[in-house]
Amino acid sequence: MGDLKSFIPEGNISDKWTNHKFNMKLINPANKRKYKLIVVGTGLAGASAAATLGQLGYEVEAFTFHDSARRAHSIAAQGGINASKNYQNDGDSVFRLFYDTVKGGDFRSREANVHRLAEVSESIIDQCVAQGVPFARDYGGLLDNRSFGGAQVSRTFYAKGQTGQQLLLGAYSALNKEVAKGTVKLYSRKEMVDLVVIDGKARGIIVRDLETGAIEKYSAHAVIIATGGYGNVFFLSTNAMNSNATASWRAHKRGAYFGNPCFTQIHPTCLPVHGEGQSKLTLMSESLRNDGRIWVSKTKGDMRSPDQIPEEERDYYLERKYPSFGNLSPRDISSRSAKEVVDDGRGAQGQEAVYLDFKDAINRLGKHAIEEKYGNLFEIYETITGENPYKLPMKIYPAPHYTMGGLWVDYNLMSNLPGLFVLGEANFSDHGANRLGASALMQGLADGYFVIPYTIGNYLAEDKPELLPTDHEEFSKHEKEFDELVDKLMSINGKTTVDTFHKKLGRIMWNKVGMARNEKGLNEAIKEISELREEFWKDLKLVGTKDGVNQTLERAGRVVDYLELGELMAVDALDRNESCGAHFREEYQTGEGEAKRNDEDYTYVSAWEFKDLGRWELHKEDLDFEYVKLATRSYK
Amino acid sequence: MDEKNLNLTLKIWRQAGPTSVGSFQDFKVSVSEDSSILEMIDDLNNELEGDGKEPVTFESDCREGICGTCGLVINGQPHGPIPKIATCQLHMRNFKNGDTIWIEPFRAKAFPIIKDLMVDRSGFDRIMESGGYVSVNTGGVPDANEIPISKDVAAEAFDAAACIGCGACVAACKNASAMLFVSAKVSQFSLLPQGQPERYDRVQKMVMKMDEMGFGSCTNTYACEAECPKGISIKNIARMNRDYIKARATSENLEV
Ligand SMILES: Cc1cc2nc3c(=O)[nH]c(=O)nc-3n(C[C@H](O)[C@H](O)[C@H](O)COP(=O)(O)OP(=O)(O)OC[C@H]3O[C@@H](n4cnc5c(N)ncnc54)[C@H](O)[C@@H]3O)c2cc1C
Ligand code: SF4
Ligand code: FES
């Protein structure tokens, strides 16, 4: 029996959020300004939260390590954002979006959260349009939609291949409006390096100023973390270079439980690795799968140029294996299928890659139509690879992309530590074991615009936390501990650079805690990671000083955390003796190679409590599936 | 050594801090043509660190040409020799074996250098805070499809909204003018129905802030458009000027 309570409201699934909103305590407008809130992160989740909370009258302090709030990783999202508007009259509804998301997550998400997400999805689109977000439109001047993996309706709103950019600039503009009014104070180039927990409650944060190196203390009635995902634990991922796990991980070490750390998504359509010097991987939006067909040669070791391989010698393996979803099968299935054909020796021209071909779509719709839909993606492809995708199929391969896991939160998005709220990719909540395309932007904005503004008020009204002064001895203690960590890093004086360690860790993670895992590999990974960690603390070479700009020191701090988090991911993957969604344990598969869930024993959220380095205690939150009946996913 | 590798000489701007005197430092590197220019500097930095030397400070994040963080002047051109890409998208196959490459930060009075190739572009944020938004609150807005917008207008607004805030326009301009950047935001909103209520107020506030932040004036040399990685059109500047003149003629509240 699980011991974690998620505080899901009573009632029918479609009434829970409405009832909860009514039952929650309110804070009267004049009193809101007496409450100080810290928001860490100004991506979609953080910017939308800070803007809305500022507008409501709270005193908000927002932090980002970026030089500007406009640069958060959210800006890179390409494909689109889901909402159950049913503008296309193709049978979409709140319930269908809810259903698709629960099923897509392979029954490892919390039904009540997902339903709320689907409910508020429509308001998100209204909000963004009101802000002037230039979504794509049809000839009648109304909003256009496309479909995405894991869905049979067209519910994805988009702005060319730059949806994240336009949504983030919308949230950034809302934030600017509040900064101008003085309700939000924005701190850029400041990195949260610790969470201050006093008497079990979140009371503030410790920050390093990335320009001066100064360590600073900030106190608040509540702290909201919206710092994104931890995909960069793999070193090579589609995440931005500076995306990192530090805020979440340091909060974890102060007591916040980490939920489902092993649920990491490998995106099927990324550019293949070009060589050792590669710094990150580039995503090609999955929306391309609407019109592109994925294939490899039927023959092993086929080195012919793709245009020399005749139609009958091609294996459109997704269309073959999953006739009803075909190229739009969910991400986990598409990624694993690509790995299978490559492992079978049929990768594109002997590489770790498969073809994504637009020839048929160009013949059917014309080059102009394809250019209009995907023009900038085709350009990106050509700039990077030097090949023209209008002429030759693209080469793609799966890459680490998104982390469904994150800090554990209850229905109110509060962690187990009172006063610590977690939003966006940083929390674990809505996507279960696999996220559907175009649902992360939706979740980030849902959390920030429409959920936290309600639930935080209830916490403040009920709990009445007080504001502690930053000269409180615990603040100083936290500050000192961070300073000591920096000194320790600076004084190792070994021979190996930060990036070398990060790359080594990345390789262990990709090979043993990546797309397919097994007991032996996971045990090896746990051992190798802890050895690497020891080596890091003996042999790190860190140049420069702790004052002023020191990007190597910034990266070193992040790698310290990855070296611990990586181990927890393996521990979690080892604990979960089943395959579900993106978590594929080779021991648990059907005769046809599909993921085999074990609902009897694993219908729970794993929430790990940090005890000591390399030691965790597992807490469980039981999951109930009342409205979407537990069933084997089928995309055939 | 790899056949596809290029042997290059780099001349990189080094400057310890905002008030220090900077100078170019030479490096010899060997790099794969499939690498990006930033990956080349990553490699160089990794080597420097291994030797216990200070790596070159430079900024980047998405490495996909969308976040606007990177921004270097390469051989005299902001974002380098290839049109319509950001620095992070510049691949080494565009250079030849034996080339010498000059790498400098964006230079403008309003973009002070912080360290090496890293500059402070927060002036852009201050301009955005002065009016780069539609003043709607969260909630209480109409259904998205109640505001029909013709496909053409939406597309034009999108093209203006595609600005990544990199500052290459400023770095390219001999007056360090921010007109292209500001006009892109002003245009996005002055084209769309949502932007109409604040249209004339917005343009005045943003232009005033731009001047206050120390950006220069526009003398129509169009260097900005040529270096813009997103192809933001100078038509936006003309549009903004029209709005600005109209605003000045009709409103007194913001006269200074
Ligand atoms: C290439 C790519 C394409 C994608 N495309 C799509 C798509 O089409 N549709 C979709 O739905 N999803 C997509 N996603 C996923 C989606 O973009 C992300 O999940 C989402 O944007 C995360 O938003 P966020 O606000 O939670 O975090 P982020 O946008 O990552 O923001 C994190 C913020 O926290 C700050 N921060 C982090 N740590 C600290 C710290 N310690 N101190 C201070 N500040 C800190 C950062 O500065 C930043 O402001 C894509 C992801 C990638 C990688
Ligand atoms: S207008 Fe172009 S050059 Fe100027 S900031 Fe925007 S994207 Fe960069
Ligand atoms: S790093 Fe984002 S635009 Fe170059």
Side-chain angles (χ1 to χ4, degrees):
Chain A
M1 262 311 264
D3 59 340
L4 264 176
K5 292 244 171 327
S6 51
F7 302 105
I8 296 171
E10 295 298 314
N12 187 284
I13 189 109
S14 52
D15 302 328
K16 284 181 194 290
W17 179 232
T18 311
N19 293 345
H20 191 53
K21 279 195 287 188
F22 181 75
N23 291 330
M24 278 187 288
K25 289 210 174 115
L26 297 174
I27 293 184
N28 95 41
N31 280 341
K32 287 206 179 82
R33 73 188 147 74
K34 296 185 189 150
Y35 287 101
K36 201 162 160 188
L37 305 176
I38 283 175
V39 179
V40 190
T42 53
L44 282 180
S48 57
T52 307
L53 293 168
Q55 167 208 318
L56 286 173
Y58 294 107
E59 189 188 337
V60 179
E61 292 189 329
F63 295 81
T64 165
F65 63 67
H66 283 96
D67 67 324
S68 162
R70 68 179 295 148
R71 309 220 198 271
H73 167 58
S74 293
I75 201 123
Q78 301 171 348
I81 176 166
N82 288 332
S84 59
K85 283 282 197 186
N86 193 30
Y87 281 163
Q88 305 308 321
N89 198 27
D90 58 358
D92 202 6
S93 62
V94 167
F95 194 83
R96 189 178 293 280
L97 176 54
F98 157 69
Y99 178 92
D100 286 352
T101 309
V102 171
K103 178 182 166 203
D106 215 359
F107 302 92
R108 292 294 175 263
S109 53
R110 195 187 284 149
E111 272 192 338
N113 281 55
V114 178
H115 199 277
R116 175 177 64 192
L117 177 64
E119 281 173 57
V120 304
S121 68
E122 302 187 27
S123 309
I124 296 172
I125 303 303
D126 299 341
Q127 190 64 37
C128 296
V129 167
Q131 289 166 347
V133 169
F135 283 120
R137 290 180 180 262
D138 61 22
Y139 285 101
L142 301 181
L143 292 164
D144 195 18
N145 290 115
R146 57 188 173 201
S147 47
F148 246 65
Q152 284 171 314
V153 292
S154 276
R155 62 160 74 100
T156 305
F157 294 79
Y158 65 102
K160 279 206 178 150
Q162 285 152 249
T163 316
Q165 179 197 27
Q166 295 308 321
L167 295 176
L168 182 65
L169 292 181
Y172 164 75
S173 74
L175 181 65
N176 281 336
K177 169 173 72 78
E178 297 303 317
V179 171
K181 284 202 318 214
T183 58
V184 178
K185 194 159 175 2
L186 181 63
Y187 296 94
S188 54
R189 291 202 200 277
K190 287 195 198 280
E191 178 155 275
M192 168 183 161
V193 290
D194 207 354
L195 177 75
V196 180
V197 180
I198 303 174
D199 300 330
K201 287 186 188 170
R203 306 293 194 159
I205 60 172
I206 307 290
V207 156
R208 178 170 183 271
D209 184 305
L210 301 182
E211 249 180 89
T212 63
I215 305 172
E216 299 165 353
K217 302 172 282 190
Y218 295 86
S219 156
H221 291 92
V223 176
I224 298 167
I225 288 186
T227 49
Y230 50 90
N232 275 345
V233 69
F234 289 95
F235 185 73
L236 285 182
S237 84
T238 61
N239 287 15
M241 297 298 287
N242 299 307
S243 296
N244 68 79
T246 291
S248 299
W249 192 253
R250 307 263 165 107
H252 172 60
K253 291 181 78 171
R254 294 286 176 195
Y257 297 171
F258 211 104
N260 295 336
C262 81
F263 289 168
T264 53
Q265 182 167 74
I266 312 291
H267 194 290
T269 54
C270 304
L271 298 190
V273 176
H274 68 67
E276 259 306 292
Q278 184 122 10
S279 59
K280 80 175 281 274
L281 293 167
T282 304
L283 176 81
M284 286 281 108
S285 168
E286 135 180 73
S287 62
L288 292 168
R289 293 202 272 144
N290 267 304
D291 290 298
R293 298 179 69 196
I294 296 175
W295 62 276
V296 288
S297 171
K298 287 183 178 165
T299 329
K300 292 186 189 200
D302 192 338
M303 301 303 282
R304 284 177 291 178
S305 167
D307 54 351
Q308 300 301 313
I309 303 180
E311 204 48 45
E312 62 279 9
E313 293 179 36
R314 301 176 175 193
D315 177 14
Y316 294 91
Y317 56 88
L318 285 176
E319 297 173 23
R320 172 172 58 77
K321 286 167 46 186
Y322 308 99
S324 52
F325 279 72
N327 295 299
L328 287 177
S329 297
R331 293 180 170 173
D332 50 342
I333 290 183
S334 308
S335 293
R336 227 158 29 238
S337 303
K339 182 178 186 307
E340 256 167 48
V341 294
V342 165
D343 289 349
D344 190 36
R346 297 191 286 135
Q349 294 181 300
Q351 296 172 23
E352 286 206 336
V354 299
Y355 296 116
L356 176 63
D357 202 335
F358 292 88
K359 195 181 68 196
D360 292 345
I362 293 173
N363 289 342
R364 192 175 71 243
L365 306 165
K367 188 177 164 202
H368 181 71
I370 295 297
E371 200 173 332
E372 209 176 32
K373 270 188 170 163
Y374 311 113
N376 71 314
L377 297 173
F378 277 46
E379 275 171 35
I380 292 178
Y381 184 85
E382 188 163 357
T383 336
I384 297 179
T385 62
E387 281 181 11
N388 178 350
Y390 293 101
K391 295 210 172 105
L392 280 177
M394 291 183 177
K395 281 182 189 158
I396 54 161
Y397 201 60
H401 174 61
Y402 180 88
T403 51
M404 281 75 70
L407 293 179
W408 182 87
V409 288
D410 64 15
Y411 184 76
N412 295 313
L413 303 183
M414 188 162 87
S415 75
N416 58 301
L417 296 178
L420 175 66
F421 293 79
V422 191
L423 320 182
E425 192 173 338
N427 73 24
F428 90 101
S429 71
D430 296 357
H431 307 292
N434 175 53
R435 173 174 71 79
L436 292 182
S439 286
L441 301 181
M442 169 172 73
Q443 184 224 329
L445 290 179
D447 290 358
Y449 283 134
F450 298 112
V451 180
I452 192 72
Y454 290 92
T455 58
I456 206 163
N458 188 52
Y459 167 73
L460 298 171
E462 277 206 328
D463 215 86
K464 302 196 175 55
E466 73 274 40
L467 187 72
L468 297 180
T470 51
D471 56 13
H472 187 286
E473 59 175 328
E474 278 295 324
F475 269 91
S476 310
K477 205 171 139 229
H478 282 67
E479 178 188 25
K480 190 160 155 272
E481 282 174 23
F482 174 68
D483 199 32
E484 284 165 4
L485 174 77
V486 173
D487 285 337
K488 198 171 153 200
L489 284 167
M490 307 282 324
S491 62
I492 301 172
N493 239 327
K495 287 189 292 300
T496 309
T497 61
V498 177
D499 279 10
T500 310
F501 281 111
H502 195 177
K503 283 184 188 180
K504 278 190 184 166
L505 174 67
R507 233 164 280 141
I508 302 173
M509 298 304 293
W510 179 240
N511 290 335
K512 297 181 174 165
V513 200
M515 245 189 298
R517 300 136 177 204
N518 59 50
E519 188 182 342
K520 179 168 164 283
L522 289 168
N523 277 317
E524 285 165 9
I526 291 169
K527 188 161 164 280
E528 288 166 27
I529 295 167
S530 64
E531 283 165 6
L532 189 63
R533 196 166 56 220
E534 271 178 39
E535 201 187 318
F536 176 92
W537 285 108
K538 272 192 217 129
D539 195 39
L540 177 72
K541 171 125 207 154
L542 187 55
V543 294
T545 58
K546 62 182 191 179
D547 304 323
V549 178
N550 186 343
Q551 295 173 323
T552 323
L553 173 62
E554 291 165 28
R555 289 206 305 277
R558 296 167 188 174
V559 172
V560 167
D561 298 335
Y562 293 140
L563 284 166
E564 299 176 11
L565 165 62
E567 180 174 352
L568 179 61
M569 288 165 67
V571 166
D572 185 42
L574 188 61
D575 173 75
R576 197 166 274 278
N577 287 310
E578 65 163 350
S579 293
C580 57
H583 169 62
F584 192 74
R585 280 282 301 271
E586 286 166 347
E587 304 92 322
Y588 309 101
Q589 49 180 305
T590 65
E592 291 162 310
E594 304 292 343
K596 199 160 130 197
R597 278 197 337 255
N598 175 350
D599 293 332
E600 193 74 15
D601 301 320
Y602 291 96
T603 312
Y604 62 75
V605 176
S606 308
W608 297 90
E609 180 184 355
F610 180 84
K611 289 289 183 191
D612 199 353
L613 200 57
R615 221 160 51 74
W616 288 271
E617 182 182 333
L618 176 61
H619 299 268
K620 294 177 186 175
E621 176 200 336
D622 292 323
L623 294 169
D624 286 325
F625 292 90
E626 249 183 281
Y627 296 87
V628 188
K629 287 283 162 240
L630 279 166
T632 305
R633 276 193 320 171
S634 169
Y635 291 93
K636 299 223 174 211
Chain B
M1 188 168 302
D2 202 310
E3 240 173 87
K4 268 166 86 189
N5 269 26
L6 306 171
N7 296 308
L8 305 167
T9 304
L10 308 181
K11 292 183 176 289
I12 301 182
W13 186 260
R14 304 304 301 264
Q15 182 171 331
T19 52
S20 327
V21 182
S23 64
F24 286 98
Q25 189 180 355
D26 285 11
F27 299 96
K28 297 268 182 220
V29 296
S30 164
V31 58
S32 151
E33 352 184 275
D34 288 331
S35 283
S36 71
I37 193 157
L38 299 185
E39 287 173 339
M40 174 185 78
I41 309 179
D42 288 339
D43 265 354
L44 171 68
N45 278 346
N46 200 39
E47 263 174 50
L48 289 173
E49 285 171 27
D51 295 343
K53 295 184 187 137
E54 275 261 335
V56 179
T57 300
F58 72 100
E59 290 193 281
S60 76
D61 203 27
C62 72
R63 300 224 173 164
E64 294 181 8
I66 194 73
C67 72
T69 309
C70 65
L72 302 175
V73 175
I74 296 152
N75 288 342
Q77 278 180 287
H79 295 307
I82 310 292
K84 292 205 185 156
I85 57 168
T87 303
C88 57
Q89 297 170 293
L90 180 60
H91 281 71
M92 298 317 291
R93 68 177 77 87
N94 295 297
F95 295 91
K96 287 194 308 293
N97 194 32
D99 277 358
T100 296
I101 307 178
W102 295 78
I103 301 176
E104 300 168 72
F106 281 0
R107 294 182 198 272
K109 187 175 118 213
F111 290 166
I113 292 177
I114 298 172
K115 188 175 181 183
D116 294 344
L117 305 172
M118 175 182 186
V119 300
D120 178 358
R121 284 168 290 192
S122 54
F124 272 11
D125 290 309
R126 302 295 89 78
I127 296 173
M128 287 300 177
E129 286 158 13
S130 74
Y133 40 79
V134 174
S135 298
V136 289
N137 283 339
T138 305
V141 299
D143 182 87
N145 260 353
E146 274 177 32
I147 318 173
I149 301 170
S150 86
K151 201 172 163 69
D152 295 344
V153 169
E156 220 179 331
F158 174 87
D159 287 344
C163 163
I164 58 173
C166 62
C169 45
V170 175
C173 177
K174 66 178 166 58
N175 308 319
S177 163
M179 284 291 269
L180 194 62
F181 168 77
V182 178
S183 70
K185 197 42 73 186
V186 166
S187 287
Q188 176 193 345
F189 291 138
S190 73
L191 282 162
L192 293 172
Q194 300 93 310
Q196 297 312 310
E198 297 164 283
R199 178 169 176 179
Y200 297 106
D201 216 29
R202 175 184 305 114
V203 67
Q204 293 192 76
K205 285 181 178 162
M206 292 180 77
V207 169
M208 213 158 84
K209 194 53 139 190
M210 172 177 79
D211 294 342
E212 191 188 312
M213 297 312 297
F215 292 98
S217 54
C218 171
T219 51
N220 300 314
T221 63
Y222 308 149
C224 51
E225 189 187 57
E227 301 299 351
C228 172
K230 292 292 141 181
I232 302 294
S233 159
I234 44 150
K235 274 201 296 205
N236 293 307
I237 299 185
R239 191 182 289 117
M240 176 165 92
N241 282 335
R242 279 199 303 276
D243 276 9
Y244 186 70
I245 291 164
K246 191 151 172 216
R248 300 278 293 197
T250 53
S251 95
E252 274 138 56
N253 55 341
L254 276 162
E255 294 283 334
V256 277

